[in-house]
């Protein structure tokens, strides 16, 4: 019998149906993954098990843990179960911990709440648990506060709180989505180990099919609140039944066809660039000290080249981007674009040659402006910006080029989805025909199917508009398909620079190798199919 | 549902008193300076709708003219606070961490150490009492309120990517502040403006009550209460009516502020759905 | 922690210096010569000069500023122009009325606001919440001096539970003194309590929406436990700011309330001094009030660090 059995779970919030007849099971010691894109209802399914749902939620069906019905159980009963029989790990480690409470107290709280152990016993158990998740008390004192830990370490604390009492079921909601790829690999390994050691069931929610295939024994694919396909992971990948599963897989493995590039003159020359940030003063009258975010970075981008810049968070890639855009000054070295020096006070003509597409489709537009005004903002850089009919034509032309309709110009930004917004961002970057475009994590916030479409659009525009770009991303699989050359950045320095395929198949720097190794990969469907047939 | 009710009641009360203030310019039932000792201390009746005071002046008329004083003082004071505070806040946010930011913020802290009553005391000590002093005192006190609010609302906006995009389009700090920052903090300023307006009315009443605000013969709600104090035991309506006028006006403005916030702040609206 | 405190202390000192400069300069602008005002229009020139000499009015502005500030540091606030007695003595007597009144009111305000705000937040949307919020909406709109008059009308004139005004002093015991200050303190405290309760509630509701509250619930805490153990301390940070601000409102408000209850506090002293153009007294009392506000803000800053470990370890 399954540890957890969800049967015909339907859920609506304020009358709006969200989940429809969801059924799934998790066996003792098994890892089951629910996957799907945003809006699929995968997280709400997890929260239904915890019975931690938003106000105004109505549920029908059945959720049984070891035969005990959880759905609409009294909150008192659920409180006894939560943390004791069911543990939960969340997506955002930065906000999941109480900032005013030491990590030891937070882990101990779980223990003290459900057992009648003494303070000292609880403390000992918290120490053991933290050590088990990779935070040995000799190095990470229980008295530490969350702000003194990194994101990965905080996620370990959250896991420690969830497993301190060895629950029978652990629920992990996108546990590694907010983490860097090497940290992700460590956390996934930890979760796997814990499941094996404790024999608990793990219900994992993730949008990442590669993570699913590496972790789960069974997989549940959801879309629009319904389960579309479910089965043992290998068998399911080997023989996908539902069109949506196939589409999802295809989008995750999406490759684009970039046109041949024939590098010409140098467009952007970064030479020994140094970027320092002042640290907060440690002493009242101490001289300022600085953090070196970008350390002697040099590379050249030629016209027609598509270069990727990869690295983990805090490696300095965003800082470098801002310097290349001339938004922040360098403390050493130089950046030259179009044979002119890039600096915050550079002339408009040079600035008009460099445009940018940002990551967040929700944050990169002024919500009070219409699309026409948003995408024509770079006209500010032109000495004679087009007016009247010419301006209208240019707007229509660009909107069409990025796959939108000319009438979209008169709408406000909230009328568009995330993918459409990235199209608008690309239109804004292209409207003054810049020489170089910088894509700053431009597809990172998008669902896989939308991401595939935007990547196709970029490839298409590369053909039609002869683009040169610098593509900044933490996602190795995206960089691999959308660039010709790749730069790997670590601690403010570029540790590897080479042709993309070369670097991926045969990395020279150990850091590059570790990145590639840590990145989860999609299973080889063909091989799986051959084995099973 | 509750949202629109707050807004409707608040707007109705505010409009009532603003209308009373405006009408008082062209018409009041009686001349507010006209004394009529024989009919003094009347309780509300057919001739004097809200009764008369110890000089036989018509209280209804005095409330109307008093509304004019209160509203004028509070409105101009909010104007001063916004007119000076908002640009300071925008400038501080545009150059966060700079010397300019530091000076503006420390200056704000300093002004906060002078409650408006203390400013009024200082001004009165130097220039003598008067309505203008009340305006200046309340206005100065409003400056840091708006400067802080504007800065704290603008700072997260400066981190947003659309500001980066505007900078990549070559726009300077001043232009970005006007085009992108200000329109996105307007809602907040409107809401805070109504709240400061109501606080201004309370402060004006307090200053007039202790004699630091509007001077005779200009009627004001605060001074009506000061006059009523010795007579409250045998003519409580002298205190109840101006007090009621202050409470209803302030309540109206606060309800309107709450209603506007619910209406204008999408964050709260999302939370309710 | 020590470094943080020192930094705040330095900023306190700078604020005090600038505030004293501002007050001094404003008073300097005042028209009229205190000496001729004190002696009347028929005074002889040499008598006037002698008095100016005595009051130190012949010195340069800088000398006068320095002697004023250094005097204050040693507890010497100068000599009243009208009463010819040390300002420090006059102020000290009055301070023993105004300061206890402000603190009494702050305590009342906090004691009322905390339970009300916490209760309203924990019963969000319920009848208790709606009635408390309605009451605070009204409380915020009531002018405290008017409320004071109503308290006098009901509890002093009609019910005769309290005296309508005046202050017997602390010599007759703590209880007598506190009793005389009770109506004024309630009048001061209730409108402030209404504001504080609203801040407490909205701050708690903000925190209750945070991710870590969900984490706490996932551990098995009940909503009430999550509120008390995790939300309250976090919600305290904005509440502390308001308490600090309120102290200055209470101090200023006590000046007005003293008028209603005929209390011999700083307020009475200031208004008397203004009408007698005894500017040295005005100057010193204003400086004292500003000092109190700055000091309270300093204490609030220290309290932040006590609540928030992020502040303790930074800088």
């Amino acid at each position: 019998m399954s540890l957890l059995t969800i049967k015909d779970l339907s859920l609506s919030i304020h009358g709006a149906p969200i989940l429809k007849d969801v059924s799934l099971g998790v066996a003792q010691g098994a890892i089951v993954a629910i996957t799907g894109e945003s809006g699929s209802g995968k997280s709400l399914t997890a929260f239904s098990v915890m019975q931690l749902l938003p106000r105004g939620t109505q549920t029908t069906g059945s959720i049984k843990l070891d035969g005990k019905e959880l759905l609409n159980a009294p909150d008192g009963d659920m409180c006894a179960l939560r943390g004791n029989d069911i543990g939960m790990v969340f997506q955002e480690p930065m906000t999941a911990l109480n900032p005013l409470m030491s990590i030891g107290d937070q882990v101990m709280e779980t223990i003290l709440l459900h057992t009648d152990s003494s303070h000292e016993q609880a403390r000992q158990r918290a120490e053991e648990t933290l050590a088990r998740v990779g935070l040995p008390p000799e190095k990470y004192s229980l008295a530490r506060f969350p702000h003194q830990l990194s994101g990965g370490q905080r996620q370990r604390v959250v896991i420690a709180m969830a497993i301190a009492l060895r629950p029978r079921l652990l629920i992990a909601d996108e546990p590694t989505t907010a983490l860097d790829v090497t940290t992700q690999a460590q956390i996934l390994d930890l979760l796997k180990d814990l499941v094996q050691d404790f024999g608990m069931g793990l219900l994992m929610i993730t949008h990442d099919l590669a993570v699913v295939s590496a972790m789960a024994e069974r997989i549940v694919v959801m879309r629009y609140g319904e389960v579309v396909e479910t089965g043992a992971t290998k068998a399911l990948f080997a023989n996908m039944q539902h069109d949506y599963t196939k589409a999802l897989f295809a989008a995750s493995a999406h490759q684009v066809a970039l046109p041949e590039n024939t590098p010409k003159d140098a467009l952007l020359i970064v030479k020994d660039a140094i970027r320092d940030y002042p640290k907060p003063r440690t002493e009242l009258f101490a001289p300022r000290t600085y953090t070196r975010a970008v350390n002697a970075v040099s590379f050249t981008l030629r016209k027609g080249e598509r270069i990727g810049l990869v690295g983990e968070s805090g490696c300095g890639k965003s800082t470098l981007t801002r310097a290349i855009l001339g938004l922040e000054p360098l403390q050493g070295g130089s950046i030259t674009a179009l044979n002119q020096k890039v600096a915050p006070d550079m002339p408009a003509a040079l600035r008009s040659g460099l445009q940018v597409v940002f990551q967040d489709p929700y944050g990169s537009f002024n919500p009070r402006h219409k699309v026409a005004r948003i995408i024509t903002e770079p006209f500010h850089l032109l000495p004679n910006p087009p007016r009247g009919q010419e301006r209208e034509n240019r707007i229509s032309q660009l909107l069409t080029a990025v796959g939108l309709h000319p009438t979209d110009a008169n709408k406000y930004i909230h009328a568009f989805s995330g993918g459409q917004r990235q199209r608008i961002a690309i239109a804004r970057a292209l409207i003054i025909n810049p020489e170089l475009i910088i894509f700053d994590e431009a597809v990172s916030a998008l669902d896989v199917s939308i991401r595939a479409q935007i990547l196709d659009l970029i490839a298409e525009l590369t053909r039609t508009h002869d683009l040169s770009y610098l593509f900044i991303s933490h996602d190795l699989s995206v960089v691999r398909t959308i660039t010709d050359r790749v730069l790997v950045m670590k601690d403010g320095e570029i540790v590897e620079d080479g042709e993309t395929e070369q670097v991926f198949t045969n990395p020279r720097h150990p850091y590059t190798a570790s990145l590639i190794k840590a990145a989860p990969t999609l299973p080889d469907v063909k091989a799986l199919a051959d084995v099973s047939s | 549902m509750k949202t629109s009710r707050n807004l409707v009641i608040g707007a109705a009360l505010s409009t009532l008193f603003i209308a009373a203030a405006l009408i008082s310019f062209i018409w009041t039932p009686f001349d507010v300076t006209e004394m009529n000792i024989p009919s003094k201390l009347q309780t509300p009746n057919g001739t004097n709708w809200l009764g008369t005071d110890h000089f036989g002046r018509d209280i209804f008329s005095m409330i109307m003219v008093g509304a004019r004083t209160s509203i004028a003082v509070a409105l101009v004071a909010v104007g001063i606070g916004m007119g000076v505070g908002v640009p300071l806040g925008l400038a501080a946010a545009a150059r966060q961490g700079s010397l300019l930011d530091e000076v503006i913020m420390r200056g704000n802290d300093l002004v906060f150490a002078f409650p408006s009553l203390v400013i009024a005391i200082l001004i009165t000590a130097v220039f003598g009492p008067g309505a203008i002093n009340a305006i200046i005192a309340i206005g100065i006190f409003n400056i840091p309120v708006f400067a802080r609010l504007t800065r704290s609302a603008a700072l997260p906006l400066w981190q947003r990517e659309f500001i980066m995009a505007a900078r990549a389009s070559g726009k300077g700090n001043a232009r970005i502040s006007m085009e992108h920052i200000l329109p996105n903090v307007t809602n907040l300023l409107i809401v805070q403006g109504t709240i400061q307006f109501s606080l201004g009315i309370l402060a004006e009443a307090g200053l007039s009550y202790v004699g630091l605000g509007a001077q005779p013969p200009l009627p004001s709600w605060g001074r009506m209460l000061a006059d009523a104090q010795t007579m409250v035991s045998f003519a409580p309506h002298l205190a109840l009516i101006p007090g009621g006028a202050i409470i209803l006006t302030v309540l109206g403005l606060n309800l309107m502020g709450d209603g506007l916030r619910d209406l204008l702040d999408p964050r709260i609206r999302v939370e309710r759905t | 922690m020590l470094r943080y405190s020192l930094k705040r202390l330095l900023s306190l000192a700078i604020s005090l210096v600038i505030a004293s400069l501002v007050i001094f300069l404003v008073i300097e602008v005042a028209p009229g010569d205190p000496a001729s005002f004190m002696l009347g229009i028929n005074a002889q020139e040499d008598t006037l000069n002698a008095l100016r000499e005595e009051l130190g009015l012949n010195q340069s502005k800088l000398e006068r500023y320095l002697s004023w500030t250094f005097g204050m540091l040693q507890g010497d606030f100068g000599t009243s122009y009208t009463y010819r007695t040390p300002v420090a003595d006059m102020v000290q007597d009055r301070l023993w009325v105004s300061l206890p009144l402000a603190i009494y009111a702050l305590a009342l305000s906090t004691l009322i606001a905390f339970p009300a705000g916490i209760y309203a937040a924990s019963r969000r949307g319920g009848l208790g919440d709606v009635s408390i919020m309605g009451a605070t909406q009204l409380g915020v709109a009531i002018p405290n001096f008017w409320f004071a008059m109503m308290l006098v009308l009901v509890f002093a004139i009609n019910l005769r539970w309290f005296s309508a005004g005046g202050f017997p002093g602390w010599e007759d015991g703590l209880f007598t003194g506190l009793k005389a200050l009770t109506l004024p303190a309630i009048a001061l405290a209730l409108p402030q309590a209404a504001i504080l309760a609203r801040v407490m509630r909205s701050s708690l509701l903000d925190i209750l929406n945070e991710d870590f509250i969900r984490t706490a619930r996932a551990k098995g805490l009940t909503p009430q436990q999550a509120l008390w153990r995790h939300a309250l301390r976090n919600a305290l940070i904005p509440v502390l700011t308001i308490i600090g601000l309120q102290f200055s409102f209470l101090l200023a408000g006590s000046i007005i309330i003293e008028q209603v209850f005929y209390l011999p506090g700083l307020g009475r002293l200031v208004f008397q001094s203004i009408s007698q153009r005894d500017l040295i007294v005005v100057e010193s009392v204003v400086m004292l009030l500003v000092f109190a506000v700055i000091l309270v803000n300093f204490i609030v800053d220290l309290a932040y660090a006590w609540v928030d470990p992020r502040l303790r370890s930074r800088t």
Side-chain angles (χ1 to χ4, degrees):
Chain A
M1 195 189 80
S2 275
L3 172 68
L4 174 76
T5 316
I6 300 179
K7 210 164 163 340
D8 298 331
L9 174 69
S10 295
L11 181 153
S12 61
I13 298 180
H14 291 297
I18 309 283
L19 296 181
K20 275 160 270 167
D21 295 330
V22 172
S23 297
L24 59 94
V26 180
Q28 189 96 35
I31 301 179
V32 175
I34 307 180
T35 192
E37 295 182 289
S38 35
S40 63
K42 54 189 190 304
S43 289
L44 271 174
T45 308
F47 282 106
S48 301
V49 178
M50 290 300 270
Q51 289 286 288
L52 289 176
L53 293 163
R55 287 168 166 240
T57 307
Q58 291 213 310
T59 45
T60 59
S62 149
I63 300 173
K64 282 187 174 152
L65 183 75
D66 267 348
K68 182 180 159 45
E69 180 63 49
L70 305 184
L71 202 63
N72 302 321
D75 196 53
D77 293 6
M78 284 310 298
C79 284
L81 284 174
R82 290 185 203 122
N84 198 9
D85 294 303
I86 317 172
M88 183 150 185
V89 179
F90 304 92
Q91 172 168 357
E92 215 11 281
M94 301 314 271
T95 52
L97 293 170
N98 184 344
L100 305 186
M101 211 170 171
S102 74
I103 59 170
D105 284 343
Q106 297 196 51
V107 177
M108 280 162 66
E109 190 175 33
T110 313
I111 300 161
L112 290 168
L113 193 68
H114 294 286
T115 65
D116 41 13
S117 46
S118 70
H119 195 83
E120 197 39 52
Q121 287 168 323
R123 190 186 163 78
Q124 227 162 37
R125 191 151 183 186
E127 276 182 356
E128 287 162 18
T129 314
L130 281 167
R132 177 64 191 84
V133 300
L135 300 174
E138 315 77 85
K139 259 181 90 183
Y140 303 94
S141 149
L142 262 61
R144 283 211 194 189
F145 286 95
H147 71 273
Q148 294 163 318
L149 300 175
S150 71
Q153 290 163 344
R154 290 189 208 191
Q155 195 64 309
R156 287 173 195 271
V157 176
V158 176
I159 293 174
M161 292 184 338
I163 60 143
L165 295 173
R166 301 195 164 214
R168 283 172 292 162
L169 176 68
L170 182 65
I171 300 173
D173 181 19
E174 303 272 7
T176 57
T177 307
L179 304 173
D180 281 324
V181 5
T182 43
T183 320
Q184 158 165 299
Q186 292 161 5
I187 296 288
L188 291 178
D189 281 346
L190 172 64
L191 286 173
K192 246 181 178 168
D193 279 2
L194 289 171
V195 167
Q196 238 160 35
D197 278 13
F198 296 180
M200 57 186 177
L202 172 62
L203 179 64
M204 188 169 159
I205 318 301
T206 177
H207 69 283
D208 191 333
L209 281 181
V211 169
V212 173
S213 71
M215 288 284 289
E217 288 147 43
R218 288 185 67 79
I219 158 171
V220 179
V221 183
M222 287 184 73
R223 183 181 59 166
Y224 305 144
E226 287 180 285
V227 174
V228 298
E229 192 163 359
T230 176
T233 307
K234 276 185 187 154
L236 190 139
F237 278 128
N239 187 14
M240 289 180 272
Q241 293 297 312
H242 199 281
D243 287 343
Y244 179 70
T245 316
K246 291 177 191 162
L248 200 60
F249 192 89
S252 303
H254 191 70
Q255 302 275 326
V256 299
L258 282 182
E260 271 310 301
N261 99 71
T262 42
K264 303 170 192 99
D265 304 338
L267 198 58
L268 174 75
I269 302 167
V270 179
K271 199 159 183 294
D272 298 325
I274 290 174
R275 181 82 185 88
D276 290 333
Y277 278 116
K279 273 189 203 167
R281 277 177 223 256
T282 47
E283 297 284 336
L284 203 49
F285 296 104
R288 279 221 174 258
T289 50
Y290 293 87
T291 317
R292 184 146 290 188
V294 173
N295 189 10
V297 163
S298 299
F299 69 92
T300 302
L301 188 150
R302 295 175 183 285
K303 185 156 176 50
E305 257 189 322
R306 284 86 49 145
I307 296 188
L309 176 62
V310 297
E312 297 185 293
S313 53
C315 73
K317 57 187 195 297
S318 307
T319 311
L320 181 61
T321 311
R322 284 196 294 274
I324 293 174
L325 285 168
L327 298 178
E328 286 173 4
L330 287 179
Q331 277 69 47
S334 68
I335 298 176
T336 317
L338 312 167
N339 300 319
Q340 283 172 282
K341 196 168 176 296
V342 170
D345 57 353
M346 64 192 185
L350 174 54
R351 212 175 265 288
S352 70
L354 306 169
Q355 285 298 307
V356 58
V357 177
F358 290 109
Q359 167 179 6
D360 180 8
Y362 296 90
S364 30
F365 308 100
N366 187 335
R368 307 200 159 265
H369 290 173
K370 289 183 177 165
V371 169
R373 183 164 178 194
I374 286 169
I375 66 171
T376 53
E377 188 162 43
F379 279 168
H380 181 67
L381 293 163
L382 301 181
N384 293 308
R387 283 177 210 291
Q389 195 54 47
E390 199 191 339
R391 180 171 176 274
E392 301 297 314
N393 291 345
R394 191 86 187 110
I395 294 170
S396 309
Q397 203 183 330
L398 254 301
L399 285 176
T400 316
V402 298
L404 295 171
H405 199 268
T407 53
D408 288 335
N410 296 316
K411 293 181 189 158
Y412 284 101
I413 199 69
H414 58 72
F416 298 91
S417 68
Q420 289 170 322
R421 288 175 193 218
Q422 279 320 61
R423 290 172 189 271
I424 293 169
I426 293 172
R428 169 171 62 188
L430 283 179
I431 200 158
I432 49 173
N433 291 319
E435 294 286 334
L436 173 66
I437 296 190
I438 293 170
F439 291 100
D440 187 1
E441 301 274 8
V443 297
S444 302
L446 304 175
D447 275 327
V448 282
S449 55
I450 311 291
R451 187 178 76 191
Q453 292 167 16
I454 298 293
L455 290 177
D456 278 341
L457 174 68
I458 293 173
E460 168 68 24
L461 292 169
T462 309
R463 250 187 302 277
T464 54
H465 287 66
D466 194 20
L467 296 186
S468 314
Y469 56 77
L470 183 64
F471 195 101
I472 293 132
S473 180
H474 68 280
D475 188 330
L476 299 176
S477 66
V478 168
V479 169
R480 188 168 187 173
T481 173
I482 199 80
T483 63
D484 313 309
R485 225 176 91 203
V486 65
L487 313 170
V488 181
M489 202 165 174
K490 180 180 190 280
D491 300 335
E493 293 177 35
I494 288 184
V495 296
E496 184 147 4
D497 174 353
E499 254 181 66
T500 305
E501 263 321 297
Q502 195 92 49
V503 170
F504 274 88
T505 47
N506 191 14
R508 274 169 295 146
H509 196 279
Y511 177 69
T512 316
S514 72
L515 272 187
I516 293 170
K517 185 166 167 290
T521 48
L522 286 168
D524 185 345
V525 184
K526 271 206 190 105
L528 281 174
D530 290 347
V531 170
S532 62
S533 61
Chain B
M1 295 305 106
K2 190 167 162 280
T3 302
S4 56
R5 200 181 61 202
N6 270 355
L7 192 60
V8 169
I9 298 175
L13 280 172
S14 314
T15 315
L16 181 73
F17 282 96
I18 291 170
L22 290 177
I23 292 171
S24 77
F25 279 107
I26 48 172
W27 175 82
T28 50
F30 291 86
D31 183 351
V32 288
T33 52
E34 187 184 78
M35 299 196 198
N36 188 358
I37 305 291
S39 67
K40 66 174 182 173
L41 295 177
Q42 303 256 341
T43 48
N45 57 57
T47 329
N48 302 99
W49 299 336
L50 294 177
T52 56
D53 73 353
H54 54 300
F55 292 126
R57 292 175 297 189
D58 179 49
I59 293 181
F60 189 83
S61 308
M62 289 174 77
I63 291 287
M64 283 177 76
V65 181
R68 197 205 290 171
T69 314
S70 286
I71 289 171
V73 169
L75 206 58
V76 178
V78 170
I80 293 174
M82 274 196 182
V84 182
V86 173
L88 284 178
L90 286 175
R95 308 197 40 197
Q96 189 202 1
S98 70
L99 187 66
L100 178 79
D101 181 25
E102 193 69 15
V103 168
I104 290 175
M105 291 323 287
R106 293 290 82 75
N108 273 335
D109 290 349
L110 192 70
V111 177
F112 258 134
F114 290 81
S116 57
L117 186 72
V118 173
I119 301 178
I121 287 172
L122 266 180
I123 296 176
T124 311
V126 178
F127 301 107
I132 301 288
N133 296 341
I135 290 177
I136 296 173
I138 303 169
I140 291 180
F141 191 71
N142 273 334
I143 292 172
V145 173
F146 284 103
R148 279 190 185 193
L149 179 77
T150 308
R151 178 176 180 275
S152 66
L155 280 182
L157 287 174
W158 274 98
Q159 301 303 318
R160 297 273 292 273
E161 289 176 342
F162 69 88
I163 300 297
M164 294 264 257
R167 291 175 65 198
S169 297
K171 289 183 175 165
N173 283 346
R175 185 156 183 159
I176 290 175
S177 291
M178 293 310 294
E179 251 178 49
H180 291 294
I181 306 286
L182 191 57
N184 280 298
V185 300
T186 314
N187 286 347
L188 213 55
L189 292 176
I190 292 173
V191 172
Q192 192 67 40
T194 36
I195 290 167
Q196 292 308 118
F197 189 23
S198 75
L199 286 178
I201 284 176
L202 279 177
E204 192 276 335
L207 291 178
S208 299
Y209 172 77
V210 289
L212 300 181
Q215 295 300 303
L218 187 64
S220 88
W221 294 345
R223 241 201 16 272
M224 289 170 79
L225 285 172
D227 292 342
Q229 193 175 345
T230 49
M231 291 169 279
V232 71
S233 56
F234 54 90
H237 73 282
L238 291 186
L240 286 172
I241 291 166
I246 296 171
I247 293 170
L248 287 179
T249 313
V250 173
L251 190 65
L253 285 167
N254 283 341
L255 286 176
M256 195 163 84
D258 279 8
L260 281 175
R261 176 170 46 214
D262 294 350
L263 194 71
L264 297 175
D265 190 342
R267 214 185 46 190
I268 295 173
R269 209 164 37 186
V270 167
E271 195 191 315
R272 292 225 168 129
T273 51
Chain C
M1 181 70 194
L2 182 68
R3 209 174 283 142
Y4 174 83
S5 314
L6 281 176
K7 217 172 143 176
R8 300 320 303 169
L9 198 65
L10 183 74
S11 126
L12 168 125
I14 295 172
S15 303
L16 282 179
V17 169
I18 298 177
S20 66
L21 256 175
V22 170
I23 294 168
F24 180 78
L25 289 176
V26 169
I27 295 289
E28 274 303 304
V29 185
D33 171 19
S36 46
F37 187 84
M38 285 159 68
L39 294 176
I41 31 172
N42 297 325
Q44 299 291 313
E45 193 56 34
D46 49 340
T47 352
L48 277 173
N49 266 330
L51 183 62
R52 285 197 191 109
E53 193 67 39
E54 188 194 325
L55 296 174
L57 291 171
N58 288 337
Q59 292 166 301
S60 74
K61 281 194 166 112
L62 183 67
E63 280 174 311
R64 289 220 311 284
Y65 172 71
L66 290 178
S67 70
W68 178 57
T69 44
F70 279 99
M72 277 192 302
L73 286 178
Q74 295 155 10
D76 173 13
F77 287 69
T79 308
S80 158
Y81 298 156
T82 15
Y83 297 105
R84 300 291 184 93
T85 50
V87 178
D89 295 350
M90 297 167 70
V91 166
Q92 202 184 14
D93 294 346
R94 314 302 182 105
L95 207 56
W96 275 108
V97 180
S98 295
L99 204 58
L101 177 56
I103 293 171
Y104 192 178
L106 191 67
L108 274 181
S109 158
T110 315
L111 278 177
I112 299 167
F114 272 43
I118 295 169
Y119 181 80
S122 69
R123 296 280 185 281
R124 182 184 185 187
L127 189 65
D129 182 22
V130 172
S131 6
I132 287 178
M133 281 303 102
T136 57
Q137 193 67 267
L138 195 64
V140 171
I142 294 178
N144 54 20
F145 62 91
W146 179 82
F147 187 51
M149 285 164 70
M150 294 299 116
L151 288 177
V152 171
L153 183 63
V154 175
F155 293 103
I157 298 175
N158 288 337
L159 295 174
R160 299 185 175 278
W161 291 355
F162 295 92
S163 69
F167 185 66
W170 296 103
E171 295 80 18
D172 296 347
L174 189 66
F175 179 76
T176 326
L178 280 183
K179 193 182 171 198
L181 292 183
T182 296
L183 284 187
I186 292 175
L188 271 173
L190 270 189
Q192 298 297 322
I195 297 174
L196 200 58
R198 292 180 78 83
V199 175
M200 185 81 214
R201 173 182 177 272
S202 70
S203 167
L204 262 177
L205 288 182
D206 281 351
I207 298 292
L208 286 173
N209 273 327
E210 295 276 339
D211 281 356
F212 65 80
I213 296 297
R214 193 181 55 188
T215 312
R217 294 275 286 129
K219 278 179 187 174
L221 268 68
T222 64
Q224 292 295 320
Q225 285 172 321
L227 187 147
W228 285 100
R229 295 194 197 172
H230 291 274
L232 199 57
R233 211 170 132 110
N234 278 281
L236 220 54
I237 294 172
V239 171
L240 274 176
T241 313
I242 301 297
I243 291 181
L245 274 180
Q246 286 207 333
F247 187 75
S248 66
F249 282 118
L250 288 172
L251 212 53
S254 70
I255 293 178
I256 294 181
I257 292 295
E258 284 164 16
Q259 297 296 103
V260 184
F261 291 94
Y262 305 103
L263 294 176
L266 287 176
R268 291 276 293 288
L269 180 64
V270 163
F271 292 124
Q272 258 169 24
S273 310
I274 288 179
S275 60
Q276 291 162 340
R277 300 207 60 71
D278 198 344
L279 294 185
I280 181 100
V281 177
V282 178
E283 194 176 40
S284 299
V285 173
V286 167
M287 188 61 218
L288 205 67
L289 290 175
V290 171
F291 171 70
V293 173
I294 292 177
L295 186 70
V296 167
N297 284 329
F298 170 70
I299 295 169
V300 167
D301 278 341
L302 293 190
Y304 279 148
W306 172 67
V307 172
D308 192 340
R310 287 165 293 188
L311 276 180
R312 258 174 289 173
S313 58
R314 198 193 303 159
T315 63

